Amino acid sequence: MTQSPQDPTTPQEPTAPQAPAQPQEPAHEPAAPQAPAAPAQQTPPAEPDPVREAFAGVRTEIAKAVVGQDQAVTGMLIALLCQGHVLLEGVPGVAKTLLVRSFAAAVSLESSRVQFTPDLMPGDVTGSLVYDASTSDFTFRPGPVFTNILIADEINRTPPKTQSALLEAMEEHQVSVGGRSQKLPEPFLVAATQNPVEYEGTYPLPEAQLDRFLFKLVLDLPERDHEFEILDRHARGFDAGALSAAGLRPVADAALIGRAREAVAKIYIAPQIITYIVDLARATRQTPSLALGVSPRGAARMLGAARAHAWLSGRHYVTPDDVKALAHMSLSHRVILRPEAQMDGLNVGQVLDSIIATTEVPR
């Protein structure tokens, strides 16, 4: 019977293994990895930027009228932030003009459209001097270029003489008529369209004019789901001529655009990133597949565009990915492919891909 009290002691031995409660100390070790949670709490402190949110809202508003074409919308936003211009290329019916009109409505800017034809004269775009009998003097009558967003529809259908009328407007934001310079309203953006398929009766843009465009934005045919949504909207009564009926409203204005440009100018770009842009530009001049490479102006515009892309992405600094994301739309219209490369089946996109892949990326 004396052993009976010993029996309960044996069950108490398993309680001793509860000493593994000591392994519960490692439970404090997982708490250490939670230290990285501190950085996660350091990112939110950046208060939401109402200016950037307004520009994000522009995408939402444009989507009420235009299905897809996100890359083109991004390009237009960056061009507005960088005081640049865009060349929209696509077959008829892919909403090139509708995209620009929707963009102008979303940012509350005035827009005017000029249909470029072979008989269009420079004065029809810039304006001209008109004799005023009441004053016995000539007065300047502004042309459609005196607006915030000029839609130059099918710009390659007008002769070089009229095309060149836009050179001063695009670079200096002014026009000179009768020996006097007239300032254009700010902000000012030229959104030119052209058809890449039909070349009969067209006048290809000279390199001097192409270099004035910040981006060349290619609008492709929509995917199957996007095309269904387009037709479904039309079936429900969508009218491209009545954007307000589609619910599209302005979410930005000229004052907010000015604040956004100031914010973009403060985006930090490291010397290594500048070197990367220089190397990309120089590579286009050295590759045997290209007869003409990117000019220093093109490289400078690419730098500004990368800053705007970083700002729209919510960062205060530029990364190599910002440069890569804009490489094709920034450079494709500034280079010329050699005939030998064309005979080998190469295109500009493939050459740029090769240059991007072989150019050293800063770490």
Side-chain angles (χ1 to χ4, degrees):
M1 301 298 293
T2 56
Q3 293 178 349
S4 58
Q6 293 177 350
D7 293 336
T9 58
T10 52
Q12 287 179 351
E13 291 178 0
T15 58
Q18 288 180 354
Q22 296 175 349
Q24 289 179 352
E25 294 180 357
H28 296 285
E29 295 178 3
Q34 288 179 355
Q41 292 178 350
Q42 290 177 358
T43 49
E47 297 181 359
D49 185 352
V51 179
R52 188 184 294 112
E53 289 180 353
F55 272 78
V58 172
R59 298 178 184 274
T60 304
E61 296 303 314
I62 295 177
K64 296 177 181 179
V66 180
V67 179
Q69 310 299 357
D70 295 334
Q71 187 179 26
V73 175
T74 299
M76 293 202 64
L77 284 172
I78 294 176
L80 185 63
L81 292 171
C82 298
Q83 303 185 47
H85 311 283
V86 294
L87 178 63
L88 304 171
E89 185 175 275
V91 299
V94 291
K96 298 186 295 294
T97 305
L98 177 61
L99 171 62
V100 182
R101 289 178 51 241
S102 303
F103 180 81
V107 295
S108 189
L109 294 178
E110 292 184 1
S111 65
S112 61
R113 176 181 176 182
V114 178
Q115 185 67 45
F116 281 71
T117 56
D119 60 347
L120 194 72
M121 298 299 293
D124 297 330
V125 179
T126 61
S128 56
L129 294 175
V130 179
Y131 182 74
D132 188 351
S134 62
T135 60
S136 300
D137 197 2
F138 287 91
T139 59
F140 176 69
R141 179 175 295 175
V145 73
F146 284 84
T147 186
N148 295 121
I149 298 181
L150 175 67
I151 306 174
D153 206 4
E154 294 188 289
I155 190 173
N156 58 337
R157 288 200 173 279
T158 198
K161 181 179 181 180
T162 305
Q163 291 176 359
S164 62
L166 284 176
L167 289 176
E168 183 184 11
M170 295 172 69
E171 191 65 24
E172 283 88 23
H173 290 202
Q174 67 178 25
V175 295
S176 298
V177 178
R180 295 181 180 180
S181 297
Q182 309 284 341
K183 283 291 183 182
L184 297 174
E186 290 292 343
F188 175 70
L189 182 150
V190 173
T193 71
Q194 66 178 14
N195 181 354
V197 177
E198 190 177 358
Y199 290 104
E200 186 176 352
T202 62
Y203 304 85
L205 293 175
E207 294 307 315
Q209 181 132 22
L210 286 173
D211 202 39
R212 258 66 170 191
F213 288 100
L214 175 64
F215 293 141
K216 178 182 178 181
L217 306 175
V218 178
L219 278 69
D220 296 319
L221 290 169
E223 299 177 357
R224 186 174 184 272
D225 293 341
H226 286 165
E227 190 163 8
F228 173 84
E229 185 175 351
I230 293 171
L231 298 184
D232 184 57
R233 288 186 180 186
H234 282 277
R236 289 185 278 113
F238 173 76
D239 183 4
L243 295 179
S244 57
L248 198 151
R249 59 185 180 85
V251 293
D253 56 19
L256 188 136
I257 293 169
R259 291 168 58 191
R261 287 178 173 179
E262 293 176 0
V264 169
K266 297 176 182 177
I267 296 297
Y268 175 71
I269 181 164
Q272 296 87 340
I273 304 297
I274 299 177
T275 301
Y276 181 51
I277 295 175
V278 170
D279 290 343
L280 286 174
R282 294 182 66 84
T284 63
R285 304 169 201 156
Q286 297 168 358
T287 179
S289 299
L290 297 178
L292 178 67
V294 176
S295 67
R297 172 169 51 195
R301 295 288 171 83
M302 190 177 186
L303 184 150
R307 273 180 157 170
H309 189 272
W311 181 79
L312 288 173
S313 302
R315 281 181 279 100
H316 300 289
Y317 55 90
V318 179
T319 69
D321 288 337
D322 293 316
V323 178
K324 290 181 180 180
L326 305 175
H328 280 270
M329 63 176 72
S330 297
L331 308 179
S332 62
H333 60 292
R334 290 187 164 97
V335 300
I336 296 179
L337 199 65
R338 289 188 182 276
E340 310 90 84
Q342 292 180 353
M343 294 176 63
D344 291 339
L346 291 177
N347 57 47
V348 170
Q350 292 171 330
V351 175
L352 290 179
D353 283 336
S354 176
I355 291 174
I356 295 170
T358 55
T359 302
E360 184 179 357
V361 180
R363 300 295 180 185

